[in-house]
Amino acid sequence: MTEGKIDLQKRNSAIGEELIRVEHLKKHFGKLEVLKDVNQVIRRGQKVVLLGPSGSGKTTFLRCLNLLEQPTGGKIWFEGNEITAPDCDIDKVRARMCMVFQQFNLFPHLSIRKNITLAPVKLKLKSQAEADADAERLLGRVGLLEKIDAYPRQLSGGQQQRIAIVRALAMNPDVMLFDEPTSALDPEMVGEVLSVMVELAREGMTMVVVTHEIGFAREVADHVVFMDDGYIVEEGTPDEVLRDPKQARTQDFLRKVLK
C-alpha cells in the first residue's frame, strides 16, 4: 500500500485542540437501539478508525457526527459549537465536515469536473475559475487529471472513489468522514483508494474512518475504537487495541477478521 508505517510519535505530536465532542449519544430506529450512550472526543489532526462487526453502530455513529442521522439523545459539538442545537446551520457544518460514502454518490449526469466544482461554487466558497483550478490540481494529485471531462460511468470503482475523495477535499474541510470507502470495490482497486487516504493522513487531515481494513488501521490510525451492540467496547492506540486487546469481544472479533 505504502512504504513504511507512519510514526506514531509524529502522529501524536501533530494532534491539536478538541474538534468534535460527543456526549451520551443515542440513536433509535423505532424500537431498535443502534447507539447506546456513546461518548467520544476527536482532536484536530487525529486519525480515528472505527472497527466492529456489522450492525455494531459504526456507520450510524459516523452519520450522526454531521447529522445525516438525527440523534435520539445526547449532544455533539463541532469546533466549540453544539450542532445538535435547534438553531444550528447544519449545511455550514457539513461544508467543513465532509463525508465519503461506500457507494461513491457521484452525480451520474454530471462530468467529473462538475461533480467536484458544484458544491463550492453553489455555496459561494469559490468562483467557478477557482473551483476549476482546484479540481485540476486535486485530480492531478490522485492521478486522474485526464478524467476531468469524463462521466462517472466511464470510470472504474476505484477511480470513482478517488473522485469522491477529491470532491470532499475541494470543500477544504476541517475533517473528513469515511464510511467503509473500500467495501464496494474489487480487491485490486482497494489499494489505490487506501494510498490516497494514507497520503491525506501524512498531510495531517483529521479523519474518522469506518473500515474493516486492519492494515490501514495499523498504519494510519492514532486512535482505534472497537464498537459492538451500540457501545464502545474498547479504544486506544493501534497497539493497545489491535495487538493487545483487553476485552473478550474485541479479541474474538480480531481472531475472526485476522484469519
Side-chain angles (χ1 to χ4, degrees):
M1 182 170 60
T2 56
E3 292 185 10
K5 184 176 176 180
I6 300 174
D7 183 78
L8 185 60
Q9 201 165 23
K10 287 183 179 179
R11 281 183 274 178
N12 289 338
S13 68
I15 294 172
E17 74 275 16
E18 180 177 301
L19 189 64
I20 300 170
R21 174 173 289 272
V22 179
E23 291 188 354
H24 305 296
L25 181 65
K26 298 180 181 180
K27 177 61 182 178
H28 302 171
F29 293 100
K31 294 183 179 180
L32 179 63
E33 292 182 89
V34 179
L35 295 176
K36 308 168 185 177
D37 196 24
V38 174
N39 299 275
Q40 190 65 208
V41 172
I42 298 164
R43 298 187 176 277
R44 193 176 298 277
Q46 204 168 25
K47 286 76 181 162
V48 179
V49 169
L50 305 175
L51 300 176
S54 297
S56 60
K58 309 181 302 296
T59 289
T60 300
F61 172 77
L62 197 73
R63 291 173 65 87
C64 282
L65 290 183
N66 64 359
L67 302 193
L68 287 175
E69 295 290 354
Q70 189 68 39
T72 305
K75 294 182 178 181
I76 302 171
W77 287 264
F78 177 56
E79 296 183 328
N81 300 306
E82 186 194 340
I83 66 174
T84 41
D87 60 349
C88 172
D89 186 343
I90 193 59
D91 289 333
K92 287 186 177 179
V93 172
R94 288 174 184 155
R96 303 199 308 277
M97 192 191 303
C98 292
M99 192 161 185
V100 177
F101 300 88
Q102 293 181 42
Q103 298 293 340
F104 326 135
N105 285 18
L106 299 177
F107 296 111
H109 62 291
L110 297 180
S111 69
I112 299 309
R113 182 194 303 272
K114 281 295 184 183
N115 264 281
I116 296 168
T117 63
L118 179 66
V121 171
K122 189 172 183 179
L123 294 174
K124 302 188 187 309
L125 301 175
K126 302 174 185 177
S127 68
Q128 187 65 58
E130 290 170 333
D132 283 340
D134 276 352
E136 292 177 10
R137 175 179 60 82
L138 291 167
L139 285 171
R141 277 186 54 184
V142 300
L144 292 174
L145 180 56
E146 75 280 2
K147 303 294 186 181
I148 192 166
D149 293 315
Y151 286 80
R153 65 180 180 275
Q154 298 172 304
L155 276 60
S156 70
Q159 290 172 330
Q160 289 188 59
Q161 193 62 291
R162 282 186 282 164
I163 297 298
I165 293 172
V166 164
R167 181 175 61 178
L169 286 172
M171 297 294 291
N172 298 323
D174 294 325
V175 58
M176 290 182 66
L177 312 177
F178 293 86
D179 182 16
E180 299 196 38
T182 61
S183 65
L185 301 178
D186 292 334
E188 64 267 25
M189 297 178 182
V190 169
E192 63 189 51
V193 173
L194 291 181
S195 65
V196 174
M197 295 172 64
V198 169
E199 189 59 33
L200 288 176
R202 291 185 186 279
E203 293 172 1
M205 174 63 71
T206 308
M207 301 164 68
V208 186
V209 185
V210 173
T211 185
H212 292 294
E213 299 288 343
I214 302 297
F216 174 83
R218 284 196 180 113
E219 181 173 2
V220 170
D222 44 57
H223 193 68
V224 175
V225 176
F226 176 72
M227 296 185 68
D228 189 37
D229 194 31
Y231 293 103
I232 292 177
V233 175
E234 189 163 1
E235 59 184 311
T237 66
D239 279 349
E240 290 169 339
V241 177
L242 301 177
R243 291 182 184 273
D244 188 26
K246 302 297 187 289
Q247 301 300 318
R249 183 65 188 93
T250 315
Q251 295 167 3
D252 181 59
F253 174 81
L254 290 172
R255 271 196 300 269
K256 291 174 180 175
V257 300
L258 294 175
K259 281 182 178 179

